[in-house]
Amino acid sequence: MTLSPSSPSSITVTLQQLIEASSNSRHGVGIEQALQKISTQMTLIGADSKPMNSFLYIPFLQFRLDSRQLEPNDVFVLLKSHIANCQKSRAYLYQAANNAAFILSEIDPLALLATAHVPPHANLELTTDNTKSIAQQQLTALPCPVLYVPNIRNFLGDLIQARLQYQQPVTLPAVVAVTGTNGKTTISQLVAQLTQLTGMSSGVMGTAGNGKLGALVQASHTTGDALAVQQFLYQMGVENTELLALEASSHGLDQQRLQGMPVSVAIFTNLSRDHLDYHADMAEYAAAKAKLFDKAHFADLTHAIINIDDEYAQIMLDTAHASELIVWTYSLDASKKATFVAADIKPSLQGVEVSLRTDFDDGKVNHLDIVSPLLGRFNVANLLAAIAAAVALGNKTGINLERIAAVIPQLQGAVGRMQRVPSNDGCFIVDYAHTPDALSQVLASLKTHCKGQLWAVFGCGGDRDTGKRPLMAQAGLAGADKVVLTADNPRTEDPNMILQDMQAGMSAEQYQRTHIEPARQTAIEYAVSQAAADDIVVIAGKGHETYQEIDNVRYDFDDSVILQQALAQAGRV
């Protein structure tokens, strides 16, 4: 995540001072309660024998999660990696100990060092074969104390924000968080646009970039680490941003990277197969998403906005109801009873006309006609979620549904999400769809517009869930007339092997409709040269990305740019 945070860390502070200074804020209360709770669990180990609460009075500058960025008198927070690597964690510990004021470790340092060799700079003579004793000697020899805090993620965000606020207090923006497999980027950007168009200063944080609308900086992760997230939130406060719409990834929720974020409105879009290289199964994936609707994790929550058309909606509903949130639902099914329903949808290549029905359980069912410039049926669902969030926020700001509806024609889709690239004939779309469900939705939406043949150009990423590959191919073949299989981000895998995995189970008829071209640029050029004037071509999978990752190197590659060049070469612009 690329950020430009201010640095309110030029003077030292202690944890005790942070608690006292922020005693009237939820950050201070949260920190104090957390420190009291863990006081019976923590273990302070270091160069000197000190009272257990002595770490509260050690002066420091700021928190660091990366030992390479550590400067003298910073606090280093050693967190567990998803992929356990004791050797690396030990190296981080030793590297940090030379500069840190003290170390907060999520990992038991004795267990971490019990099997480690004594580093040359430790100047220890091994006098016993007892590994625990050896580890104790190593820790005692460290130049700074190490505090073992196994549940540090429960309050790390609060701790970081309290430090940021200490020297220069700022008012933080309200936060709307969006989770789900598909739609997070579009909905977060739509929420920010709707609120800004109705008078609020808004920003976004997620896959397509971070910052105020119109000035986004490209992000490396959907959800950054706890330090990056809190620094960005603080920077938005410095810039007087009133609303921050962010994407909450399952990784970020599972690893508590959003702890301490003042999320007041949480949105669930949908859940389909993705990230099963990280989560054990779909149940675990859903449980990670459901954390966003739990006040035990997000104390500022007031509203939950949930897509009841999705099969996993009930898990989110149960969690939200258990937290006693105001629960609003949305649906594209006119027969369902939901708070926001698209009762009628009239699509065109210029957008959609929607008859919106609202029912807030007050006995009044209202109807409102809206016109959206966004392509695709699934973007109607995205729009309903964004409208609901804007209404929820409007309860505090006085912005009503009619005012929100009036600005909808001014909305712009997120970059790389159903993004139409201009051409003299034919219709050419770039979209981020990289899961079977997302690809199916994109193709189904465009099929209703297509007078000729529908083309899909896509691949699968390397070093990721291999079981998804044939499912992606089948989704493309089910929704498109012509399919071009090509590379996505191969990473360290051979693109031909990925393509071979995608072809598993294909029939002879499907092969006849499929063209295989490992080179993505060549594949795009092929589709442009072969598509007829009435055809629609979708370049799917990478969307907003401006690179292609091959053998750990990121090469410049932007689907929309490559597509523009191919159209120019073919004389179609």
Side-chain angles (χ1 to χ4, degrees):
M1 177 178 290
T2 304
L3 304 170
S4 56
S6 57
S7 301
S9 55
S10 59
I11 63 172
T12 58
V13 66
T14 67
L15 292 178
Q16 184 61 38
Q17 287 174 314
L18 291 186
I19 292 172
E20 293 171 357
S22 55
S23 59
N24 293 325
S25 73
R26 66 173 186 79
H27 295 291
V29 173
I31 293 166
E32 187 168 23
Q33 290 177 346
L35 291 177
Q36 290 174 350
K37 184 176 180 180
I38 67 170
S39 62
T40 58
Q41 305 174 33
M42 64 190 179
T43 305
L44 183 66
I45 309 167
D48 302 307
S49 177
K50 298 179 180 180
M52 286 300 292
N53 66 345
S54 62
F55 74 96
L56 290 173
Y57 301 95
I58 300 175
F60 66 94
L61 288 171
Q62 59 181 312
F63 296 98
R64 297 285 190 184
L65 305 186
D66 187 335
S67 60
R68 295 168 298 182
Q69 298 176 357
L70 196 72
E71 296 183 1
N73 294 319
D74 284 343
V75 172
F76 178 57
V77 182
L78 178 61
L79 298 176
K80 296 176 183 177
S81 171
H82 173 61
I83 302 175
N85 189 323
C86 291
Q87 185 176 356
K88 281 190 175 182
S89 295
R90 287 194 293 266
Y92 299 152
L93 180 69
Y94 283 123
Q95 183 179 9
N98 291 319
N99 284 321
F102 57 95
I103 295 173
L104 299 176
S105 178
E106 183 185 28
I107 308 169
D108 183 346
L110 287 177
L112 180 64
L113 299 178
T115 58
H117 295 295
V118 178
H121 62 268
N123 298 319
L124 291 177
E125 293 184 9
L126 301 185
T127 58
T128 175
D129 291 332
N130 186 301
T131 56
K132 184 174 181 180
S133 176
I134 295 172
Q136 182 70 56
Q137 291 179 61
Q138 293 180 60
L139 285 166
T140 303
L142 291 177
C144 77
V146 179
L147 180 66
Y148 173 39
V149 191
N151 60 346
I152 191 170
R153 292 178 195 251
N154 292 346
F155 64 97
L156 180 57
D158 279 328
L159 198 60
I160 293 169
Q161 189 59 229
R163 175 64 189 101
L164 292 167
Q165 294 279 345
Y166 180 78
Q167 194 164 323
Q168 181 187 346
V170 301
T171 300
L172 298 177
V175 177
V176 173
V178 189
T179 197
T181 305
N182 305 312
K184 295 188 297 295
T185 299
T186 296
I187 293 174
S188 60
Q189 298 226 356
L190 293 181
V191 169
Q193 289 182 51
L194 285 175
T195 51
Q196 184 142 305
L197 287 168
T198 50
M200 298 179 73
S201 174
S202 303
V204 295
M205 181 175 74
T207 310
N210 306 315
K212 284 195 170 185
L213 286 181
L216 300 187
V217 177
Q218 184 62 51
S220 59
H221 294 85
T222 301
T223 308
D225 64 37
L227 178 61
V229 165
Q230 292 296 332
Q231 285 177 327
F232 180 73
L233 174 67
Y234 180 83
Q235 181 62 27
M236 289 292 95
V238 170
E239 297 178 15
N240 298 313
T241 307
E242 298 171 276
L243 183 280
L244 175 62
L246 63 84
E247 300 176 48
S249 69
S250 61
H251 294 67
L253 289 166
D254 182 60
Q255 297 170 18
Q256 294 179 263
R257 299 183 211 160
L258 293 174
Q259 192 282 321
M261 291 293 280
V263 178
S264 58
V265 179
I267 300 173
F268 170 70
T269 65
N270 50 66
L271 207 67
S272 61
R273 182 172 180 138
D274 200 14
H275 302 307
L276 294 190
D277 52 320
Y278 177 89
H279 301 287
D281 50 35
M282 290 297 293
E284 184 180 291
Y285 183 28
K289 296 290 191 185
K291 289 182 179 180
L292 184 60
F293 303 91
D294 189 344
K295 282 182 75 77
H297 294 289
F298 299 97
D300 295 284
L301 275 174
T302 59
H303 289 74
I305 297 167
I306 296 170
N307 175 18
I308 58 169
D309 293 340
D310 189 81
E311 63 177 307
Y312 288 92
Q314 194 60 50
I315 298 171
M316 315 303 157
L317 289 167
D318 290 344
T319 306
H321 285 304
S323 290
E324 299 182 341
L325 305 182
I326 297 171
V327 179
W328 290 348
T329 57
Y330 65 98
S331 173
L332 298 185
D333 187 343
S335 67
K336 289 185 178 179
K337 179 178 172 56
T339 317
F340 296 81
V341 178
D344 186 39
I345 302 172
K346 297 177 181 178
S348 74
L349 282 178
Q350 284 68 50
V352 291
E353 295 179 14
V354 180
S355 176
L356 174 64
R357 186 181 76 223
T358 60
D359 182 358
F360 293 97
D361 293 326
D362 57 1
K364 297 179 181 179
V365 178
N366 296 307
H367 295 269
L368 186 66
D369 292 330
I370 57 178
V371 178
S372 168
L374 305 177
L375 294 175
R377 181 180 174 85
F378 62 91
N379 266 332
V380 176
N382 292 337
L383 181 59
L384 293 184
I387 291 172
V391 172
L393 294 166
N395 287 345
K396 299 178 181 179
T397 62
I399 298 172
N400 60 28
L401 181 58
E402 287 72 19
R403 187 175 172 190
I404 292 167
V407 301
I408 288 174
Q410 301 177 52
L411 294 175
Q412 297 178 359
V415 174
R417 269 68 175 178
M418 289 292 270
Q419 177 184 351
R420 187 170 183 179
V421 175
S423 59
N424 291 334
D425 58 52
C427 177
F428 297 87
I429 304 287
V430 171
D431 192 83
Y432 189 54
H434 61 283
T435 67
D437 180 62
L439 185 60
S440 295
Q441 289 193 45
V442 166
L443 295 175
S445 291
L446 291 175
K447 193 68 173 176
T448 60
H449 304 293
C450 193
K451 296 179 181 179
Q453 292 188 315
L454 179 59
W455 292 67
V457 182
F458 62 94
C460 286
D463 303 331
R464 297 294 188 269
D465 179 12
T466 58
K468 186 174 74 173
R469 294 172 183 174
L471 302 180
M472 278 291 288
Q474 290 300 318
L477 286 161
D481 302 298
K482 298 284 188 180
V483 164
V484 181
L485 299 183
T486 188
D488 190 281
N489 288 317
R491 300 186 177 88
T492 64
E493 285 195 71
D494 180 351
N496 290 293
M497 297 305 296
I498 297 173
L499 291 170
Q500 185 174 317
D501 288 344
M502 295 181 72
Q503 296 171 60
M506 281 175 55
S507 67
E509 182 274 334
Q510 289 176 327
Y511 269 112
Q512 289 180 350
R513 295 190 286 119
T514 303
H515 179 79
I516 298 171
E517 173 49 67
R520 192 172 182 90
Q521 179 171 341
T522 305
I524 293 172
E525 292 170 347
Y526 172 82
V528 169
S529 69
Q530 297 297 310
D534 289 335
D535 291 355
I536 296 179
V537 177
V538 183
I539 315 298
K542 290 174 58 58
H544 65 282
E545 292 179 354
T546 57
Y547 63 86
Q548 187 174 34
E549 187 174 340
I550 304 172
D551 291 331
N552 295 317
V553 178
R554 289 189 171 187
Y555 298 91
D556 290 341
F557 197 103
D558 185 325
D559 277 356
S560 64
V561 172
I562 298 298
L563 180 53
Q564 289 170 19
Q565 294 171 350
L567 289 166
Q569 290 172 1
R572 304 188 73 160
V573 290

